[in-house]
Amino acid sequence: MSRAAKVPGDGAHPSVLWSSLRFYAASRVVLAALFVLYAVLDPAGRFAQGGADGFPQPGLFRALSVAYLFLAAGFLAASLFVRGAFERQRTLQVLADLVMLTLLMHAAGGPASGVGVLLVAAVGAAAVISTWRLAAFFAAAATLLALGESVWRVLDAEQTEFAGFLAAAMIGASCFITATLINRLAARLAFQEALARQRGADLHSQLATTQLVISELPQGVVVFDPQGRVRTMNRSAQALLGAQGPWPALERLVARRLGLDGAAPGQGAASGDAGAAGEEFDFVVDARAQPPAGASHRVRVRFLGLGAAGAPGAPGEADTVLVIEDPRQVEERAQQLKLASMGRLSASIAHEIRNPLAAIRHANGLLAEQLEAAPQQRLASIVEDNSVRIDRIVEDVLSIARRERPTLETVELAQFVPALLGEFVASNAAQGKRIEMDAHEPARMLFDPRHLRLVLVNLLTNALRYASAAPGAVRIEWRRAPDDRLEFRVADDGPGLRPEMLDQAFEPFFTTEARGTGLGLFLAREFCNANQASLRYESIASGARHRAAFVIVARAAPVAGRGAPAADRGAPGE
């Protein structure tokens, strides 16, 4: 048996112990009031003694009863208003009880008066809120007091026989037996109460965890009570079924399953309904009549369990759970798995293409050196251009497959961007005057330099493809955001993305250019995500020269000398 079962005074909950002590104190007040009432109604105590002699000391009995009442009221007030010192209050109250009851027993004529039985009751009440050893101590104290009272009466010559000692011994034995039994029972009750309290806390925690998990599930969950009414649902169910939801139709369906409409439980009337727990069926949600108006869509409903019916046609006793899924999400997950498999296959194919492609380019270069006619030179140039294009596609596919872990470094944009622009203009034969850089302050970005180079090259290539030929058609700038992050913008004066293209702009293999691969923006976003950054598209207000921009939002590193005067900083790129 655990410690809580052996020691009820220590193993029980503090609130239970204090409640028991206050109940004990209130019972003492009632008992003392009865003593006072008896002393007033029968001052001589003739009824208790069963004769005309009455109490040997009625005045002392009356005074002790009044004193006991005031003492009991004080103990009750202490248990109600004095918080703390439980052990001291318990011990003081029990010992005071035993002493006062012994004195009242002596004033009433000894154990034969019947007051001695209250010693057993006091010890039993103390055993409820005490340890076993302390309960045995109280029983021993009651026994010694009872025997002492008998000795006192012998010394006062009030009794000459040993019957009083026998009665005192019986009271003491009863105290020990009562203390042991009640303490053991109280120990078991304290253990069961502590166990129930722990089980209740565990159940409450489990319910809270379950509710949290259900609320975050991507599937909708709707719970119906045994009467077929909606009890609760999670956010996903509200999103799938709409704000007002097709609740009457679902309730009728659940009522048929539970047999609440007169049909046998589990019997469906409509075709396509689920006939047993675990079966699925489709349900049409008409969202056109719900604010905001939308298009109808189909959801998949699955019965996770049915209420247990006691008899045909009788309501079930358990809740019914419906799991609602959007078939579109299932299809999207399948599509993602399909794309992942295709990506791995494409990476394998791309890796195998590189070797023969390199051989083709080498052979075409050697052949071009021996060709003299212009048409033949043109054909060799076409082979070279398309080989380069295939090589770029292969490199993009392999970049997607590698997903190398980035190495975050501090990139000085005022030095990094001009160097990158020089290399970009030289290698792509782009007109440098079409690109301008405008930076109002020095900035340092936390980014993998190699990844940042690939991202900017993709964004610049895309911007130059759609921008005009005017000077400054593509603009590069950066600034600090209010949350101390860095916004790097690549804007152009092109037409921008059409609204219907925004959802697919960053998807792989989506392109509006005949010679494009459709991987540039997708790779740029993936590299940004890998570097704890983000990439978004912005459409600038009409009237501005640069109407479209791609914005990189990345972590900013502290700028050295940021607190220096503006005159000492210099312009970026100078």
Side-chain angles (χ1 to χ4, degrees), residues 4 51 54 119 145 158 199 203 215 251 287 308 313 335 375 388 473 497 522 570:
L119 290 173
L145 288 172
E158 294 183 11
R199 294 291 184 268
L203 180 60
S215 64
E251 289 176 351
Q335 183 68 15
V388 170
L497 296 176
F522 174 75

Side-chain angles (χ1 to χ4, degrees), residues 28 31-32 35 60-72 75 92-107 115 118-119 145:
R28 185 185 302 111
L31 178 62
F35 276 127
L60 179 61
F61 182 85
R62 186 165 49 254
L64 289 173
S65 298
V66 174
Y68 190 35
L69 178 60
F70 280 103
L71 185 64
F75 284 150
L92 181 61
Q93 292 187 27
V94 174
L95 292 179
D97 259 352
L98 298 179
V99 172
M100 292 301 298
L101 290 175
T102 302
L103 294 175
L104 287 168
M105 179 179 66
H106 178 73
V115 180
L118 297 177
L119 290 173
L145 288 172

Side-chain angles (χ1 to χ4, degrees), residues 31-329:
L31 178 62
L34 291 176
F35 276 127
V36 173
L37 181 62
Y38 180 77
V40 172
L41 296 179
D42 188 11
R46 294 185 178 88
F47 179 78
Q49 293 295 327
D53 294 336
F55 287 156
Q57 306 177 54
L60 179 61
F61 182 85
R62 186 165 49 254
L64 289 173
S65 298
V66 174
Y68 190 35
L69 178 60
F70 280 103
L71 185 64
F75 284 150
L76 178 60
S79 64
L80 291 175
F81 302 108
V82 178
R83 308 300 297 176
F86 172 81
E87 291 80 6
R88 294 182 181 179
Q89 291 195 44
R90 174 187 58 190
T91 305
L92 181 61
Q93 292 187 27
V94 174
L95 292 179
D97 259 352
L98 298 179
V99 172
M100 292 301 298
L101 290 175
T102 302
L103 294 175
L104 287 168
M105 179 179 66
H106 178 73
S113 64
V115 180
V117 179
L118 297 177
L119 290 173
V120 181
V123 172
V128 176
I129 55 176
S130 304
T131 63
W132 183 85
R133 291 183 180 179
L134 190 57
F137 168 75
F138 291 144
T143 303
L144 292 176
L145 288 172
L147 292 174
E149 192 274 337
S150 296
V151 172
W152 187 1
R153 291 177 60 81
V154 170
L155 294 178
D156 285 348
E158 294 183 11
Q159 68 176 26
T160 58
E161 299 179 357
F162 290 95
F165 288 100
L166 180 60
M170 293 297 294
I171 291 175
S174 300
C175 287
F176 276 102
I177 295 174
T178 302
T180 302
L181 293 178
I182 292 181
N183 183 263
R184 293 300 181 183
L185 291 175
R188 185 169 295 277
L189 290 176
F191 174 75
Q192 294 297 332
E193 183 178 8
L195 183 62
R197 192 181 298 273
Q198 180 64 35
R199 294 291 184 268
D202 294 342
L203 180 60
H204 179 75
S205 176
Q206 183 178 4
L207 288 176
T209 303
T210 303
Q211 290 176 356
L212 179 61
V213 171
I214 291 177
S215 64
E216 297 299 328
L217 283 176
Q219 295 87 4
V221 177
V222 183
V223 180
F224 289 85
D225 63 12
Q227 285 71 40
R229 295 187 298 267
V230 177
R231 183 188 296 274
T232 183
M233 72 191 73
N234 62 354
R235 291 193 296 268
S236 299
Q238 294 178 353
L240 290 174
L241 298 178
Q244 298 177 352
W247 309 124
L250 284 177
E251 289 176 351
R252 287 194 299 270
L253 180 64
V254 173
R256 285 199 298 271
R257 293 296 168 268
L258 299 179
L260 299 176
D261 59 349
Q267 180 179 357
S271 60
D273 291 348
E279 293 190 13
E280 298 181 354
F281 62 97
D282 290 340
F283 196 89
V284 177
V285 178
D286 188 1
R288 290 172 295 183
Q290 302 178 18
S296 299
H297 61 279
R298 185 176 296 273
V299 297
R300 184 162 299 164
V301 180
R302 177 163 56 96
F303 276 90
L304 198 61
L306 293 176
E317 299 178 355
D319 292 340
T320 301
V321 181
L322 297 186
V323 178
I324 302 173
E325 294 181 340
D326 189 352
R328 295 170 297 182
Q329 296 179 354

